[in-house]
Amino acid sequence: MSRSTADSASSVTLPTPKERRRLREALALSEEQVAEAMGVTKATVRSWETGRSSPRGRKREAYASLLGTYGPDDAPTSPESSNSSERAAEPQSGPPSPVRPQAPARTQTQAQAQAPAPAPAANAANVRPKAAAKRAAKPPKAPSPPPVITAGPARKGTPKPQERLKPVAAAAPQAAEERPAGPPAVPGLTPEEAFDALYAHAAPGLVHQTYLLTGRRRLSREAVEYAFHHAWEHWPEVAVDADPVGWVRATAYEYALSPWHRLRRTHKYPDAPPTEASRRALLTALLDLPAPYRRTVLLYDGLGLDLPETAAETEASTPAAANRLLHARTVLAKRVPELADPDALHRRLSALVTEAPTATLPAARTVRTGSERRTRTWTRAVLGVTAVLIGITGFTAATAPTHYIPANAPGETVNGVPVRGGPQKLRPEDLQLRDQLRSEPNPGPERLIPAAE
């Protein structure tokens, strides 16, 4: 591979890990199909979609072409164009644009027609000829049907039609229009100003969402503050993320749903439920759900995320997220009968999520300085403990003896007669037995002694 080809392949910009997974499912491709087309294992494809690794070289270009985010016309043809594209791809110092990168809209027929198409991209990625010949001989696989969400128990014996999950390619632009992914990106903002804008935009709503998850107002404020402390510590990573609000939301949810909070007295029991009957019934039913099911239904029906995004944020597979959503809707329909219709549940949860937050939060500057102060404190503590261990180790090495000197035991005075050694003294019975054995050495029959002639 020439240097120009390598530079062209390395300059290909891939979407975010969550977007890679969403694009693959929009094309109705499984992990096995992508792995077979790329000539890698299923575990490698999963690591690409979770962000643990990324393809390199020509596999990167082939993977981008497979997802539909890169074409032959996008490759730079000269070093000048390559440098200009790299400069254009450099991240700005401020937060990213609130609109997520969306895949081109595809119908189901187009997705089925494009499903067996990765073979040319795989050949470009140096796939083994035998594997390519086997794939060419195989008939094209039909894409698996999308999971189906049932509408819950029917009312008065009338069957309800089944509600299909939202199509990924069609629902993503709508979700991006309904809920902003973050504050608008303004070029020229300093990191502090960008963080303050993100905090002012997302913190109040995240506190209210976390309260719906846990039922504890104090814990929700603590979780959001912890999430923004963590975001400021990893701000270079958060600033270039396609969805900074989702990054902070996932951190806050993970902290708030940690089971260790049950051991703390202040967070052991939830707060008093609201006085309104409908709100109290819905919040009580939500808190009765297991934490993963509660989080899934809040993300899908409350925030309007599509199923692949919900599965990626909850670190579950798409079928597992669909099953959690079905179970959560069934339980909520049993507890609150008027929410048996998924549309009604979606409206109620959306209304709860979009309520005006009433929590009072510290200023963004206070959160930033608190994060920096905590980082300095932990750094100093680690350095102090390390210095103490080094000092103790040096003192021990300096004062420890270099060789072993055996200690001679001092002499002691022995009083009394030592114990007599040898066999025990024979008793009269033993003496009589001994004499008898000596006098009658052979009590048996007489022995035949041959006589010599």
Side-chain angles (χ1 to χ4, degrees):
M1 182 172 61
S2 63
R3 181 177 298 274
S4 61
T5 307
D7 295 340
S8 173
S10 60
S11 63
V12 175
T13 302
L14 291 176
T16 59
K18 289 197 295 186
E19 188 68 15
R20 299 171 196 172
R21 177 175 179 173
R22 194 188 68 78
L23 291 175
R24 174 180 62 79
E25 294 184 352
L27 293 172
L29 294 175
S30 63
E31 293 180 353
E32 293 84 355
Q33 292 174 333
V34 176
E36 186 178 3
M38 296 298 301
V40 296
T41 61
K42 181 181 176 182
T44 303
V45 176
R46 188 178 297 111
S47 65
W48 292 350
E49 294 182 355
T50 54
R52 290 193 296 268
S53 64
S54 295
R56 297 181 179 179
R58 302 194 68 177
K59 285 189 181 297
R60 185 183 184 91
E61 180 180 348
Y63 185 56
S65 300
L66 176 62
L67 296 180
T69 60
Y70 177 76
D73 299 335
D74 300 332
T77 57
S78 64
E80 292 77 7
S81 60
S82 175
N83 295 334
S84 62
S85 63
E86 291 177 359
R87 287 194 300 269
E90 290 181 356
Q92 301 293 335
S93 59
S97 174
V99 181
R100 302 184 185 179
Q102 300 295 339
R106 296 178 175 87
T107 61
Q108 184 68 18
T109 307
Q110 293 174 346
Q112 293 179 1
Q114 295 177 2
N123 295 333
N126 297 329
V127 180
R128 293 168 294 187
K130 293 184 178 180
K134 290 181 181 179
R135 287 195 301 274
K138 291 181 180 179
K141 298 180 180 179
S144 56
V148 176
I149 293 293
T150 57
R155 296 183 182 180
K156 298 182 181 180
T158 58
K160 294 284 291 183
Q162 291 184 340
E163 176 213 358
R164 289 191 176 271
L165 295 179
K166 291 178 282 187
V168 178
Q174 181 180 1
E177 294 175 0
E178 292 178 355
R179 49 177 182 83
V186 180
L189 286 180
T190 62
E192 291 79 8
E193 294 173 347
F195 176 84
D196 295 350
L198 177 64
Y199 182 82
H201 172 78
L206 286 179
V207 171
H208 186 62
Q209 297 168 23
T210 312
Y211 166 70
L212 297 179
L213 274 182
T214 60
R216 298 164 175 84
R217 293 180 175 85
R218 185 173 178 180
L219 177 59
S220 62
R221 291 192 297 268
E222 180 181 332
V224 173
E225 290 182 18
Y226 169 82
F228 276 97
H229 284 164
H230 200 63
W232 181 243
E233 293 174 5
H234 301 79
W235 184 247
E237 175 186 350
V238 180
V240 298
D241 194 275
D243 184 13
V245 177
W247 196 100
V248 180
R249 178 178 62 236
T251 306
Y253 285 6
E254 290 289 341
Y255 182 86
L257 295 177
S258 174
W260 296 104
H261 295 305
R262 301 175 184 175
L263 304 178
R264 302 171 60 183
R265 181 181 301 178
T266 54
H267 303 323
K268 191 173 183 180
Y269 301 103
D271 297 344
T275 56
E276 186 180 349
S278 59
R279 287 170 51 87
R280 181 172 64 251
L282 179 55
L283 289 178
T284 305
L286 276 176
L287 294 179
D288 289 341
L289 290 171
Y293 297 81
R294 195 187 321 154
R295 184 176 178 181
T296 301
V297 72
L298 181 64
L299 290 174
Y300 187 84
D301 285 327
L303 297 180
L305 272 67
D306 57 9
L307 196 59
E309 289 181 344
T310 303
E313 187 161 330
T314 56
E315 297 182 356
S317 62
T318 304
N323 291 332
R324 289 177 181 177
L325 184 61
L326 287 172
H327 177 77
R329 285 181 172 180
T330 303
V331 173
L332 292 177
K334 291 180 180 178
R335 298 293 302 272
V336 187
E338 58 268 19
L339 299 181
D341 186 7
D343 294 335
L345 177 62
H346 176 67
R347 288 193 298 269
R348 287 284 299 277
L349 283 179
S350 300
L352 281 179
V353 169
T354 55
E355 285 181 351
T358 58
T360 57
L361 294 173
R365 179 182 178 84
T366 305
V367 175
R368 282 191 287 103
T369 55
S371 177
E372 296 171 356
R373 189 183 307 111
R374 185 177 63 175
T375 303
R376 287 194 299 267
T377 302
W378 279 106
T379 304
R380 292 171 182 172
V382 171
L383 292 177
V385 172
T386 305
V388 170
L389 291 177
I390 293 174
I392 293 175
T393 304
F395 177 77
T396 304
T399 58
T402 57
H403 60 280
Y404 176 71
I405 303 176
N408 297 324
E412 296 181 359
T413 304
V414 179
N415 297 324
V417 181
V419 178
R420 182 178 179 179
Q424 298 180 358
K425 186 178 180 180
L426 298 178
R427 296 175 298 176
E429 295 83 1
D430 299 334
L431 294 174
Q432 182 180 1
L433 179 61
R434 187 185 65 181
D435 294 342
Q436 183 180 357
L437 291 175
R438 287 178 179 178
S439 61
E440 301 176 1
N442 187 14
E446 297 181 0
R447 298 170 64 185
L448 298 176
I449 302 175
E453 295 181 356

